[in-house]
Amino acid sequence: MTHDLTLPSGTPTAEGLAERALRDPHRPRFHFTSPGGWLNDPNGLSHWNGVYHLFYQYNPLAAAHHRIHWGHATSIDLVHWADEPVALVPGSDGPDRDGCWSGVLVDDGGVPTLVYSGRHGEHELPCVARGSADLRYWTKDPANPVITAPPEGTDITAFRDHCVWQEGQVWRQLVGSGIRGAGGTAFLYESDDLRSWRYVGPLLTGDASQNRGELDWTGTMWECVDLFGIDGADVLVFSAWDEGTTHHPLYWTGRYQGDTFTPTGLHRLDYGGRYFYAPQSTGDEHGRRIMFGWLQEGRTDEANAQAGWCGVMSLPRVVTLATDGGLHQAPVPELTELRRERVEVAPGRLADPYSRLPAVRGEQLDIETTLRLGTGATARLVVRETPDGAERTVVEVSRSHDGAGTLRLHRESSSLDPTVDTEPRYGELPLDPDGRVDLRVLVDHSALEIFANGRALTARVYPTRPDEAVGVGIGADGDVALERFDAWQMASAFTDGPRPLWP
């Protein structure tokens, strides 16, 4: 990912980063965040000997995307995380002297091995590091980079980020890229030893001339490609990028066979766009496909620098194949371990456009509700509302007269701060003929993750009066039945006190 901010003049040093981060009222408490400084893409996701490993792009020196390291955290339950030693540090020379960028972890005959993008100047090339048995200490291969240049004769837009897997005795690798004048692509390579790679060709190439400016534009470069099979289908996930701008995550469904991927459909992965970016997934030992994404910030670089931190990891999601052939997403069930006080709202018809729920309050909430929408009806759930209603965030589900459903997030009043992003987000909501909506909203200070009938919408909100913006309410226009409504206060996933920037 190349949202390449350099350190602005006057940027605070690492001194006090973790302490300032801890004091920030917008910092989530049950989403994973780095101890301080900068966090972006999830990397090296794996379930190794019963332990979940989350590596991530990390700058422990400042809340800026500069000279990236690999942070590392472990968990046995996907809820509580322990900080591990920083896995990769940019070299004093060599191919990663300007950063150790995104990649993956593979099992090379029992030896944990990282494949990542080393950066030197404008060059981004695949590198390899071997790990100790506990995945805590890593040694870079002296032969790095293991691919010395992008494919010859191809005018590329970028060349980075990796997806690596084994087919029989042969390793295969996708490198995210783009062909100038054509579109984003994933270049396919193969190897016998993870060190010597043969170029095969583009697995699939998009068309950047189509749908430019639309919510499903495939961009001029594909970041963080992720290929996996699920329930008999093949899925190719990527994040659309263009000339330094991150757009949105998308995925192709289709058939991976031989050296090509034949697509059958293009889908939006998360309706939040760049607020769920650069996702990576792994299979776990329970047979599940677990996915994380990076929640970008919606406030200014200066605000991030002052706060001492930047970037949030999404909650882990279980990804399955939906009945319509796309992906169904839901938070991992383990997250219910953090639920504390429960409030239930009585079922019935929602007769008023809006009613505040005085028994439901907070900035760390897990809300589950089931609604039934008549044709032409709209239901709305309000969170992070101040007592005077000046700041409020509205989750809206609607059913048109022709039966089509829409999930929409209104952030126009989420913050009175004119410098933060408050643009709405929206997407298609699949509905059965009875108009049922299973809605789950997870509120964690500035992080907001919404799941409706298996579709996801992720965003960030920054109320200027965060201590007051704890109200919750519900309302409807038209025929809407509330079948259930449960809300839980959520505990923190971390212990009190600042965490070491260099564990």
Side-chain angles (χ1 to χ4, degrees), residues 78-355:
L78 289 170
V79 177
H80 302 91
W81 294 90
D83 295 309
E84 302 289 352
V86 172
L88 294 176
V89 176
S92 56
D93 54 17
D96 64 6
R97 69 185 71 178
D98 294 319
C100 302
W101 287 22
S102 292
V104 294
L105 174 110
V106 295
D107 182 350
D108 183 15
V111 178
T113 303
L114 301 180
V115 181
Y116 67 98
S117 289
R119 187 177 189 189
H120 174 207
E122 295 304 312
H123 298 284
E124 300 152 355
L125 295 170
C127 296
V128 168
R130 292 167 66 88
S132 59
D134 60 5
L135 282 66
R136 300 185 82 210
Y137 304 102
W138 299 86
T139 302
K140 299 173 186 177
D141 196 297
N144 285 336
V146 295
I147 297 176
T148 57
E152 290 186 10
T154 303
D155 187 7
I156 63 168
T157 55
F159 185 76
R160 61 177 173 272
D161 309 333
H162 312 274
C163 176
V164 182
W165 69 99
Q166 198 166 20
E167 292 183 14
Q169 299 301 310
V170 176
W171 290 99
R172 304 206 105 183
Q173 174 177 193
L174 294 178
V175 182
S177 191
I179 300 173
R180 200 171 300 278
T185 192
F187 288 130
L188 178 62
Y189 290 80
E190 61 182 16
S191 171
D192 298 320
D193 61 1
L194 293 173
R195 274 75 178 169
S196 299
W197 291 91
R198 301 177 292 276
Y199 176 56
V200 177
L203 182 75
L204 177 68
T205 302
D207 185 350
S209 69
Q210 297 292 314
N211 299 333
R212 179 178 282 271
E214 300 297 322
L215 297 174
D216 61 352
W217 182 51
T218 56
T220 59
M221 187 264 173
W222 292 353
E223 295 197 286
C224 300
V225 290
D226 187 16
L227 175 66
F228 56 87
I230 189 165
D231 299 330
D234 294 320
V235 177
L236 180 63
V237 177
F238 65 96
S239 291
W241 177 95
D242 177 55
E243 299 298 333
T245 299
T246 56
H247 283 269
H248 40 244
L250 301 170
Y251 67 96
W252 298 98
T253 50
R255 178 69 172 167
Y256 164 61
Q257 192 169 23
D259 300 335
T260 60
F261 185 97
T262 304
T264 57
L266 177 67
H267 313 263
R268 296 172 64 193
L269 183 65
D270 188 292
Y271 296 153
R274 69 179 183 87
Y275 290 112
F276 184 86
Y277 196 80
Q280 189 174 105
S281 70
T282 185
D284 72 3
E285 293 170 7
H286 308 298
R288 304 180 299 181
R289 173 63 48 175
I290 305 295
M291 179 179 287
F292 286 81
W294 165 40
L295 279 59
Q296 297 188 34
E297 298 291 335
R299 57 184 178 180
T300 65
D301 297 337
E302 291 75 17
N304 296 330
Q306 184 175 1
W309 70 282
C310 183
V312 178
M313 201 62 67
S314 76
L315 297 171
R317 303 176 178 184
V318 178
V319 178
T320 55
L321 194 66
T323 55
D324 64 0
L327 293 180
H328 180 284
Q329 301 175 65
V332 294
E334 289 92 330
L335 286 169
T336 59
E337 294 178 22
L338 295 177
R339 288 175 173 175
R340 297 299 183 261
E341 299 84 2
R342 172 177 172 265
V343 174
E344 182 181 5
V345 175
R349 294 283 167 182
L350 294 179
D352 299 320
Y354 180 66
S355 298

